[in-house]
């Protein structure tokens, strides 16, 4: 595409977005005749329907995590007046849960929804775009990604795999997980086979445990049949949906390993570049909306789900002992620092994340955290 074509395409997109905004604000009637004519021409050229497939790492119709791709597709269909028509496939329907990244990279589907820590094998720094043990919470991740340089680094990394990434969900601080026995000391982690993905899994391994990576849909059976001794999944709302309480009794907090994981949507780069700019803008806006929507839903529903688990199902809620947390924290520091050794881009991602974390921790210690402490001490 030459410069003139690019300019024309850009102008075309700006016109389409301006028209949409004008209609929303009820100002369309005031548009001069000349602009209306231009908009009509743009409208005629914009009738192409893009039929896409979105494949996900979640079981089809799973509440919470699985609702995000469904709602994303639905909103895009409405916003685009049917021009962007995306069919959502659950894990295993088109490809397996952990094959989503490669399949979208290769163009088997145009879009995927998952979590970046599943792709650590591609580059260990990918996990930092999902979550880092003892790292940032949801609010801080959004700040880093959108205004701290994080998204640009994520685009650079995924660009190497022919993908364009977007933040598209966050669970908030997760639970530490489900165990069949009490965890009273670090000795209780020795040889423990636990489903735990991402950097957290590597940390568990340094602490003597045996991490297992399984997609969500395989967790329950693995725990119930004893293939694994313990598992983490998300938090009360999503864990209740999997009936994990029927396979383990002790429910531990806090989720040291996933303090605010970002879920992701990613688009095949060729498919992205073939879209007109207004549809690209809709994907940007709709993923932002879904990013917020998931966090709001978990925030609203986790409380009642935890009450149900404890009061109706007799789940035993436990806090991880301080010395276990201290040991995991020490291992985390080591494991996270090793990410920087992978390659120069991983080093830049690591340095950007850690610098932002240091800054945001300093301010949040006198704002968010100070307020939370104050609120608790008021009881
Ligand atoms: Ca998890």
């Amino acid at each position: 595409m030459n410069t003139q074509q690019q300019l024309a395409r850009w102008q075309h997109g700006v016109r389409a977005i301006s028209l949409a905004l004008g209609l929303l604000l009820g100002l369309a009637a005031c548009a001069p005749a000349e602009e209306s004519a231009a908009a009509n021409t743009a409208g005629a050229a914009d009738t192409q329907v893009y039929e896409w497939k979105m494949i996900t790492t979640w079981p089809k119709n799973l509440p919470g995590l699985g609702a995000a791709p469904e709602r994303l597709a639905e909103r895009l269909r409405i916003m685009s007046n049917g021009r962007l028509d995306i069919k959502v496939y659950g894990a295993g329907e088109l490809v397996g849960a952990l094959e989503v990244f490669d399949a979208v990279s290769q163009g088997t589907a145009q879009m995927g929804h998952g979590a970046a820590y599943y792709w650590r094998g591609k580059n260990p720094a990918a996990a930092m775009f999902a979550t880092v043990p003892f790292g940032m919470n949801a609010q801080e991740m959004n700040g880093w990604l959108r205004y701290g340089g994080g998204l640009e680094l994520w685009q650079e990394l995924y660009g190497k795999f022919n993908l364009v990434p977007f933040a598209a969900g966050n669970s908030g601080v997760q639970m530490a997980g489900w165990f069949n026995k009490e965890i009273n000391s670090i000795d209780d982690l020795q040889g423990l086979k636990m489903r735990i993905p991402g950097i957290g899994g590597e940390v568990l391994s340094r602490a003597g445990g045996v991490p297992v990576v399984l997609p969500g849909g395989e967790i329950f059976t693995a725990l119930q049949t004893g293939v694994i001794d313990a598992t983490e999944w998300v938090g009360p709302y999503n864990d209740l949906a999997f009936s994990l309480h029927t396979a383990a009794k002790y429910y531990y907090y806090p989720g040291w390993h996933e303090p605010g994981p970002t879920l992701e949507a990613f688009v095949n780069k060729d498919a992205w570049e073939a879209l007109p700019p207004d549809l690209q803008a809709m994907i940007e806006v709709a993923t932002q909306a879904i990013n917020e929507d998931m966090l709001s839903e978990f925030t609203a529903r986790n409380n009642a789900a935890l009450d149900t688990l404890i009061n109706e199902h007799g789940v035993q809620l436990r806090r991880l002992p301080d010395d276990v947390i201290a040991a995991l924290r020490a291992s985390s520091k080591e494991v996270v620092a090793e990410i920087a050794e992978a390659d120069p881009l991983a080093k830049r991602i690591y340095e950007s994340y850690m610098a932002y974390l240091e800054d945001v921790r300093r301010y949040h210690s006198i704002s968010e955290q100070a307020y939370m402490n104050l609120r608790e001490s008021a009881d």
Side-chain angles (χ1 to χ4, degrees), residues 52-55 72 86 104 109-113 265-267 283:
W52 278 17
K53 298 183 181 86
M54 175 158 38
I55 50 181
L72 180 58
I86 304 176
V104 178
Q110 291 81 7
M111 200 166 185
H113 192 272
F266 44 79
V267 176
I283 291 179

Side-chain angles (χ1 to χ4, degrees), residues 117 174 195 232-234 257-258:
Y117 53 46
Q174 297 202 349
R195 184 271 178 187
E232 69 80 53
W233 175 223
V234 183
H257 64 303
E258 296 203 45

Side-chain angles (χ1 to χ4, degrees), residues 106-189:
Q106 290 154 13
T108 306
Q110 291 81 7
M111 200 166 185
H113 192 272
Y117 53 46
Y118 289 132
W119 326 124
R120 281 177 72 216
K122 304 290 177 190
N123 188 307
M128 301 192 93
F129 298 109
T131 195
V132 172
F134 301 96
M136 295 187 221
N137 68 11
Q139 187 180 350
E140 294 163 349
M141 276 301 289
N142 287 334
W144 177 56
L145 289 172
R146 294 197 51 209
Y147 291 95
L151 182 60
E152 290 78 5
L153 287 164
W154 196 4
Q155 287 166 342
E156 188 176 340
L157 178 64
Y158 274 36
K160 292 177 184 296
F161 300 93
N162 201 37
L163 295 171
V164 183
F166 303 88
N170 198 303
S171 66
V173 178
Q174 297 202 349
M175 291 290 286
W178 296 89
F179 298 79
N180 274 312
K181 61 173 188 181
E182 286 193 77
I183 303 298
N184 295 315
S185 76
I186 199 77
D187 292 342
D188 291 319
L189 298 182

Side-chain angles (χ1 to χ4, degrees), residues 2 7 45 55 65 71 107 116 122 155 171 182 186 217 222 224 283 285 297 304 317 322 352 358 364 369 372:
N2 64 33
L7 184 67
I55 50 181
L65 300 179
R71 290 175 186 170
K122 304 290 177 190
Q155 287 166 342
S171 66
E182 286 193 77
I186 199 77
Q224 199 186 34
I283 291 179
V285 171
E297 186 174 22
L317 188 65
D322 288 342
S352 171
E358 204 42 49
H364 274 178
Q369 188 178 342
M372 286 292 189

